[in-house]
Amino acid sequence: MRLLETVAGHQHGAPAKQLARETGLALPTAYHLLRTLVHEGYLQRDRGLFFLGDAAERLVSSGAAQKRRSTIVDTLAQWRDLIGVPIYYARYRDGEIEILCVSETPSNPAVHEWADFRETGHAHAIGQCLLSQLDEAARRDHVDRYPVQSLTPYTVRDDHTLLRRLERIERMQPVTERQEYVLGTICAAVPLTVGDAAATIALSLPVHQSERLLPAARQLQREMGRRVGSLALAISI
């Protein structure tokens, strides 16, 4: 690890003797470790100089991805505790709805996925919010692949009604649904558009707390506005 760190500090590469001296390793030990690291792809050697290899670059990339996910997880947990509701992060990617992170507590449990979220986007606030960010052709393609189906007495009834509803959703406004996915639960989703990516941060509440839904959604939207820079960076890369 010291060798890798030392090589990383030399943009134009460094010879074995210099690396041994800077890491405090005996030269034969340094040579042995350098050969092993080259063989495994963590270093590459060119004209006697050592540089980071492809395997090291992948390691760095994986670490950065973990850090970005950690940023999202920590942020959602802060909002969960501040607002007192379960918080969800989802994206629309490659034609599919993906729930990427859920932050809940025993006292504020998340919605149980009793029907596949990917196939029931018409019935929950997350799906409706994501679909509202798409163009008309992409919405119709999604509905063709996942037609409307009744999950509760409150679920939208047909594809045409759903598409009309999506057209009426105002840009950057919270999207709400009340017992359309599961009885006893209401939800709100705030759009989070980063470049071409459609994303959302959402929350859910038991139906007996209906009066909290819009105030909680507005509070979530304000908190998102304060963290939009870090969220955009974490989501867009």
Side-chain angles (χ1 to χ4, degrees), residues 3 13 19-20 38 40 43 45 78 85 89 96 105 109 132-133 151 154 162 168-169 204 209 211 215 218 221 231 233:
L3 277 171
L19 294 171
V38 170
E40 297 294 337
L43 294 178
R45 184 177 183 180
Q78 291 172 19
V85 295
Y89 162 54
E96 301 292 345
T105 64
S132 72
Q133 297 176 57
L151 303 181
Y154 303 97
L162 172 66
R168 293 196 299 268
I169 293 175
S204 61
Q209 297 183 27
E211 74 284 352
R218 295 299 184 189
Q221 192 169 34
L231 277 176
L233 181 61

Side-chain angles (χ1 to χ4, degrees), residues 76 79-81 83-88 102-105 107-111 188 202-206 220:
L76 264 58
W79 293 339
R80 175 203 66 204
D81 295 340
I83 306 174
V85 295
I87 302 289
Y88 312 76
V102 179
S103 188
E104 61 178 336
T105 64
S107 59
N108 291 300
V111 175
L203 59 87
S204 61
L205 283 164
L220 176 61

Side-chain angles (χ1 to χ4, degrees), residues 9 27 42 49 77 109 115 156 162 172 175 185-187 195 204 227 237:
L27 187 57
Y42 288 97
L49 301 178
V156 63
L162 172 66
M172 303 313 295
V175 177
T185 300
I186 56 179
C187 301
S204 61
R227 298 292 299 272
I237 298 176

Side-chain angles (χ1 to χ4, degrees), residues 126-166:
I126 286 174
Q128 293 175 24
C129 185
L130 292 173
L131 293 174
S132 72
Q133 297 176 57
L134 307 179
D135 59 33
E136 182 179 356
R139 289 177 194 165
R140 290 188 176 277
D141 172 72
H142 185 91
V143 173
D144 286 343
R145 288 182 290 115
Y146 300 116
V148 167
Q149 53 180 307
S150 292
L151 303 181
T152 77
Y154 303 97
T155 307
V156 63
R157 290 303 173 201
D158 54 65
D159 297 354
H160 178 69
T161 304
L162 172 66
L163 291 171
R164 288 188 60 190
R165 177 193 290 187
L166 295 174

Side-chain angles (χ1 to χ4, degrees), residues 211-228:
E211 74 284 352
R212 289 190 60 202
L213 185 63
L214 282 177
R218 295 299 184 189
Q219 184 179 6
L220 176 61
Q221 192 169 34
R222 290 193 296 272
E223 294 300 324
M224 289 170 60
R226 296 188 180 102
R227 298 292 299 272
V228 67

